[in-house]
Amino acid sequence: DYLIPSIVADLFQPQTVTYNGGVANIKQWKISCYLEVMESGIPCTNPHEGLKSHCRELLDTCNNLFASWYRQQHACNDKTTSSYKVDEEGNPIVSRLMTFITRYTPAPDENALLKHVDGAGKVDGSVVVALPIDRWTASEEENSFEGHGGGLTFWDGRTKRSANGTRGPEEIVYDTRSGDIAFIDRAVWHQANPITRGTRWALVIFYKVER
């Protein structure tokens, strides 16, 4: 909670960015503030250094959690495991490619980020952190996670037979809460589900595994 008051009061400054072809069919994305960006200034050239500094401890924690998760996730089914660089504990050495905080509201084009793949499939994985309930811009009841949509949906690569006999990826819905963290593997389709009330905040990090 100690991070949030300064973020919502003055540090969060949404930047308008334009993605080629759009992201989840949105040409201009206007509800995120970028702490770190990819090489060549993608998606913007002016990351917010103050916000990055404010969140540094959280970012370092996410690095450690993602590295540990990636090692476990790929221990049995990744033939390239031996090709990535490891630290003294045997966890992969990871680096953040892009980091941003997003503020969701019920307004059109601000209430969700529909079905997409992070980094157009060019990242090794990502994390989404549901930041604490915003008790500073409205009441806790107004911004509660309860009963107003939100959460994450994933489309698993395994096929599942539907009621009409067709096969398609299994759809998995997570009803996220304050402080939850989701680990997303490379090129997994997912979305931030629409909210209908209040304000939600999320931290998103795209990762590269050093090889």
Side-chain angles (χ1 to χ4, degrees):
D1 279 9
Y2 74 93
L3 291 174
I4 302 302
S6 294
I7 293 175
V8 303
D10 54 20
L11 285 174
F12 181 80
Q13 299 170 5
Q15 297 150 295
T16 300
V17 298
T18 302
Y19 290 94
N20 291 331
V23 55
N25 296 320
I26 300 176
K27 294 289 185 180
Q28 287 193 323
W29 186 247
K30 303 179 179 180
I31 62 172
S32 295
C33 183
Y34 293 84
L35 291 66
E36 297 168 311
V37 298
M38 293 184 176
E39 294 180 2
S40 303
I42 298 172
C44 66
T45 58
N46 56 333
H48 195 310
E49 292 294 337
L51 187 53
K52 175 183 176 181
S53 178
H54 181 69
C55 296
R56 189 173 302 279
E57 184 177 352
L58 175 59
L59 300 181
D60 290 344
T61 298
C62 287
N63 289 354
N64 294 334
L65 291 173
F66 177 81
S68 178
W69 168 84
Y70 191 90
R71 178 186 181 183
Q72 295 175 48
Q73 179 75 2
H74 292 264
C76 297
N77 58 4
D78 188 351
K79 296 180 180 179
T80 66
T81 297
S82 60
S83 69
Y84 61 64
K85 298 178 181 179
V86 299
D87 61 19
E88 61 276 8
E89 296 180 354
N91 289 323
I93 296 173
V94 302
S95 57
R96 298 189 301 271
L97 293 175
M98 184 160 67
T99 306
F100 54 96
I101 290 177
T102 299
R103 177 184 60 196
Y104 293 103
T105 77
D109 292 340
E110 296 186 3
N111 67 336
L113 180 54
L114 299 181
K115 192 174 182 179
H116 66 285
V117 169
D118 286 338
K122 297 178 181 178
V123 303
D124 289 313
S126 53
V127 302
V128 179
V129 181
L131 296 177
I133 295 172
D134 181 354
R135 299 189 296 272
W136 296 270
T137 62
S139 68
E140 185 168 344
E141 180 183 4
E142 175 70 20
N143 287 335
S144 170
F145 285 75
E146 300 290 343
H148 308 302
L152 298 169
T153 297
F154 295 87
W155 285 268
D156 191 278
R158 295 171 298 177
T159 59
K160 182 179 180 181
R161 189 179 298 277
S162 65
N164 63 10
T166 60
R167 287 187 174 273
E170 183 177 2
E171 184 176 284
I172 305 169
V173 179
Y174 290 96
D175 189 15
T176 54
R177 291 292 183 268
S178 173
D180 285 354
I181 181 168
F183 300 97
I184 305 172
D185 215 342
R186 181 181 181 276
V188 172
W189 287 96
H190 62 283
Q191 72 175 26
N193 299 326
I195 67 169
T196 58
R197 178 180 171 181
T199 303
R200 308 275 181 89
W201 297 83
L203 170 70
V204 181
I205 307 173
F206 294 173
Y207 279 102
K208 174 185 178 182
V209 176
E210 302 295 337
R211 301 187 184 277

